[in-house]
Each structure stands twice: as C-alpha cells, then as structure tokens.
Amino acid sequence: MNESEFIFKKKIQCDLVSEWTSPSNIALIKYWGKQDLQIPKNPSISLTLSNCRTQTRLTVSPIKKYKKKISFDLFFDGNLKPEFNKKVEQFFFRISKYVPFVFDNHFKIETKNFFPHSSGIASSASAFSSMALTIVSLERKFNDDMNDEQFYKKSSFLSRLGSGSASRSIFGKIALWGESEFFSKSSNLYSIPLVEKINPIFNDLNNTVLIVDDQVKEKSSSYGHDLMNSNPFSFQRYEQAKNNIGRIKKVFKNGDLDEFIQIVESEALTLHGLMMSSNPYYLLLKPNSVEIIRRVWDYRREYKYPVCFSLDAGSNIHLLYPSRYKKVIKEFITNELLNFCKDKKYIDDYMGSGPEKIK
Ligand code: DP6
C-alpha cells in the first residue's frame, strides 16, 4: 500500500460522536531516530499493554469551511487543555491530506487517561492512537469500501503522524512498525500485528511499571530522535536494531526466554546509551533506576526466574515476566524493589488485545 491509497477525498459534514479507548505499548526493539514525516530509521517491535490506556470521545459538528484552519476544542479529564493544542493541531494538519474533511467540521475532543496512580506517565502512543481511531471511524461511516483490515491499517497510518510509537498501539499483543527484511508485509508507513508463529509463552507477559519518578519527563522523545541525526553511533545502532528484529523473530517462535531477556535489556540500555552519547549528552536514568536494574540482575542470577527490565525514554523501570511467575515476582517487587520507587508506586499491566470501540 502506498501513501496515496490512504487519501479519502469525499466531503463529510455531520453531527456524530465517535469514541475509542486505546492502550500504550512498551517497545522491545526501540524506535529511536526518524526522518522526513515520521519515517523511522529502523523497525521497532512492541508489546501492547492493557490497563494503561486513553479514552477519546470525538463529537463532530459541521462548520462553514475555514481556510486551512482546524476547528477544535481539546478537553483533558473534563478541562480545556490549551497547552496540548499545538501538538493536536499539528496532528490534524498532517492527517488533513488523507482525511480532508477535518477542515469541514468542528471537533470537540474529550480525552481521559486510565493510567493507574499519578505516575507522571503520559503516553502519546495511547493518546494519538485513540484519536486516530475516532477519525477513521468517522470516515468509515461514509466510506463503504473500507474493510476491517483497511480500517486498522489507516488508523495505524494516521496514528504514526501524531507519534511514531502510536502506530503500534492499534494492534493487540505484539506489533511491528518499520520496514524489515524479516517481515515481508512490514512498512514504514504503518504497523502490522505479529500473530503468526508466536510461542504461547509470549501470550501472557506481565508488565509491571516501577515508578521511580512521577514527574513529567525532562526531555521529550522528539528531542532525543533529533539528536540521533548527529549521534556518532547512529549508523551502527540502526543496523543493530534491524538485526535484533531477526533475533527476536526467532525467539518469538522458539520461546527462548534467555535470548529474549538478552535482547530486551540490551535494547533498553542501548536506548539510554544513545542519549548519553548524543550531543548535547543527557541522562534520564536516576540512581534508583540503576539500583533496581542491579537488583533484577542479582535476583535473576539467584532464583533463575525469567524476569527482565525494559525502559522507555524516562527513569521508570518496566519489568517483564510471564504471568505464571506473577506470585514470586510480586513478592520480589513488594519486598525489595518498591523501596526504590517514588512513594512505593507501581502499575500492574499486561499484554492486551488492543483498542476498543466505545461508540
Ligand atoms: C523510547 O513515539 O514518543 O518510547 O514519534 O516523536 O512522537 P515521536 O516519538 P515517540 O518515541 C518513542 C520512543 C521510545 C521507543 C519506542 O517506543 O519505540
């Protein structure tokens, strides 16, 4: 599918409500570095989560066409949020080529985050994927030719224009975004679900997020992506990530948890290594993040349970483990790791089945 196939020119003016919830995701193979309009420098793979999600309700009403202006009001937890307007407006402008009807209507956008506790986690992945789904749902009401596959593909395509990682949240369980020699259907324009040849051990992974710091991130992901353009290791990094896609594909098939752990932890530390080797260099890990990582290693060495960590672009630690080990890992978390979390905060989450339509 090329880009032009996503364009839907029909004029739509309507009074309608469309509502979806969509989850966040945690990348196993990290997307870090992009070019042009949200084209990744390397393919990435993530687990789609379940509890950490955003619900977006889009109330559409017709307007007289404003010249190249998007008319919307954005509410977050019931309050107007003008500080998010710029990002949302940019998203609407980017998608307007594919859904030009965004110029012909007014949008009331009401979003709520279901991230347990005040964790400081704001997920652009769940926010933009839920928004894209409401827009494509609207199109679908007027586009008889759109089947389910096209619906999710276009939702992923539009999500990507809001935030790269959002394109992966459209699909449940495991998703891949970006062209990879190991997956013939992969694309830089949208994500695809990885459903075939997945060992059952990966059907029920748990993800416990240990909240080391509940403040909003010091540096945005976009800042980090930009710095990859001048990072002296970027070429090697993109090659490494491409290669890791092949490695993890094998692991998904054979269920080798040791190899899984090696790949996932190496990817997480590489991401932070890239931040530290950027110019300007920066560091998002906190002393307690490092303490937790060390304790996970010690624990694994001693008890041999298959628990590993991942990181996103922040200091919180994501623990990943098959749910059959939930009881023992929970004890480890409660007895040991929570001492290094802000106010002993954590979020229990697990691999989920993806977005849900509300209306
Ligand atoms: C470290 O998707 O937040 O979480 O496309 O600029 O919105 P933008 O970036 P974003 O980057 C995610 C970076 C990451 C790794 C990942 O999710 O793959």
Side-chain angles (χ1 to χ4, degrees):
M1 214 167 187
N2 70 35
E3 243 188 326
S4 61
E5 290 171 60
F6 290 103
I7 299 174
F8 180 67
K9 283 236 165 87
K10 192 166 168 178
K11 187 175 168 82
I12 300 177
Q13 282 206 299
C14 58
D15 280 295
L16 273 173
V17 175
S18 162
E19 191 167 9
W20 280 79
T21 72
S22 185
S24 182
N25 65 71
I26 176 75
L28 305 175
I29 310 297
K30 308 290 182 183
Y31 147 55
W32 202 241
K34 60 179 167 180
Q35 62 195 2
D36 308 325
L37 204 51
Q38 299 289 97
I39 298 299
K41 288 282 199 177
N42 63 259
S44 57
I45 287 185
S46 58
L47 299 181
T48 305
L49 300 178
S50 187
N51 293 336
C52 294
R53 49 177 62 233
T54 302
Q55 183 162 336
T56 298
R57 182 184 172 89
L58 189 74
T59 308
V60 190
S61 47
I63 49 162
K64 267 179 81 187
K65 189 164 180 161
Y66 287 124
K67 251 201 169 152
K68 290 278 167 206
K69 191 173 170 343
I70 310 282
S71 170
F72 72 93
D73 293 311
L74 177 68
F75 295 85
F76 184 76
D77 283 337
N79 302 312
L80 273 170
K81 271 278 174 192
E83 59 267 42
F84 293 156
N85 281 0
K86 222 176 126 202
K87 263 214 117 174
V88 172
E89 190 166 25
Q90 182 190 55
F91 169 64
F92 270 96
F93 269 116
R94 285 181 181 174
I95 66 171
S96 63
K97 180 171 167 199
Y98 310 98
V99 281
F101 59 81
V102 294
F103 288 119
D104 302 322
N105 296 278
H106 175 78
F107 298 98
K108 181 180 180 193
I109 308 165
E110 294 164 279
T111 71
K112 286 193 271 211
N113 266 353
F114 293 91
F115 289 92
H117 309 296
S118 58
S119 56
I121 296 184
S123 162
S124 59
S126 56
F128 282 107
S129 55
S130 60
M131 223 178 279
L133 284 157
T134 60
I135 302 270
V136 184
S137 264
L138 172 61
E139 169 183 330
R140 198 175 186 179
K141 294 207 163 83
F142 298 87
N143 182 354
D144 298 333
D145 298 333
M146 185 180 257
N147 61 28
D148 274 357
E149 195 191 333
Q150 290 161 335
F151 172 81
Y152 287 107
K153 200 177 262 187
K154 182 155 181 181
S155 298
S156 177
F157 175 88
L158 296 190
S159 301
R160 182 196 105 238
L161 296 172
S163 180
S165 54
S167 70
R168 298 184 309 239
S169 279
I170 296 298
F171 302 102
K173 306 255 173 178
I174 306 172
L176 162 81
W177 170 44
E179 271 168 32
S180 164
E181 59 178 297
F182 299 103
F183 292 92
S184 58
K185 292 190 173 143
S186 59
S187 168
N188 282 338
L189 302 180
Y190 49 82
S191 297
I192 57 169
L194 297 191
V195 279
E196 277 159 44
K197 299 191 187 132
I198 303 289
N199 190 292
I201 191 90
F202 298 113
N203 277 342
D204 67 343
L205 284 182
N206 271 41
N207 174 42
T208 303
V209 191
L210 302 167
I211 310 295
V212 170
D213 184 1
D214 61 1
Q215 298 307 302
V216 174
K217 287 188 229 172
E218 298 158 38
K219 299 273 184 249
S220 70
S221 295
S222 304
Y223 176 83
H225 287 294
D226 270 359
L227 290 178
M228 281 301 281
N229 294 325
S230 58
N231 188 304
F233 305 112
S234 56
F235 176 76
Q236 290 88 332
R237 160 58 194 161
Y238 303 141
E239 292 306 303
Q240 178 198 45
K242 288 174 193 165
N243 183 36
N244 279 348
I245 297 279
R247 284 175 72 198
I248 208 160
K249 182 183 181 186
K250 275 198 199 125
V251 167
F252 283 146
K253 195 173 165 195
N254 65 21
D256 181 345
L257 283 174
D258 290 337
E259 172 79 347
F260 177 80
I261 288 169
Q262 292 302 312
I263 298 170
V264 169
E265 292 191 344
S266 159
E267 278 286 318
L269 292 177
T270 299
L271 170 69
H272 284 258
L274 291 165
M275 295 174 199
M276 294 179 218
S277 55
S278 290
N279 182 12
Y281 47 80
Y282 65 111
L283 180 61
L284 296 182
L285 294 177
K286 295 275 155 65
N288 280 348
S289 322
V290 177
E291 188 60 43
I292 291 172
I293 290 172
R294 291 200 167 282
R295 282 169 189 262
V296 170
W297 286 340
D298 289 346
Y299 178 84
R300 201 167 64 222
R301 207 171 299 123
E302 192 168 347
Y303 297 100
K304 314 272 181 272
Y305 292 126
V307 54
C308 66
F309 68 85
S310 186
L311 298 156
D312 59 17
S315 59
N316 297 328
I317 306 283
H318 289 249
L319 284 188
L320 294 168
Y321 49 95
S323 68
R324 75 168 84 134
Y325 298 98
K326 195 173 174 155
K327 196 161 168 278
V328 279
I329 304 294
K330 203 65 192 278
E331 274 167 23
F332 169 48
I333 292 172
T334 322
N335 297 340
E336 208 170 320
L337 301 183
L338 288 190
N339 296 324
F340 306 99
C341 296
K342 181 83 201 296
D343 303 329
K344 301 205 176 226
K345 275 195 248 188
Y346 68 99
I347 297 172
D348 254 337
D349 211 342
Y350 55 90
M351 259 171 94
S353 51
E356 277 168 30
K357 186 174 180 162
I358 312 277
K359 207 174 160 87

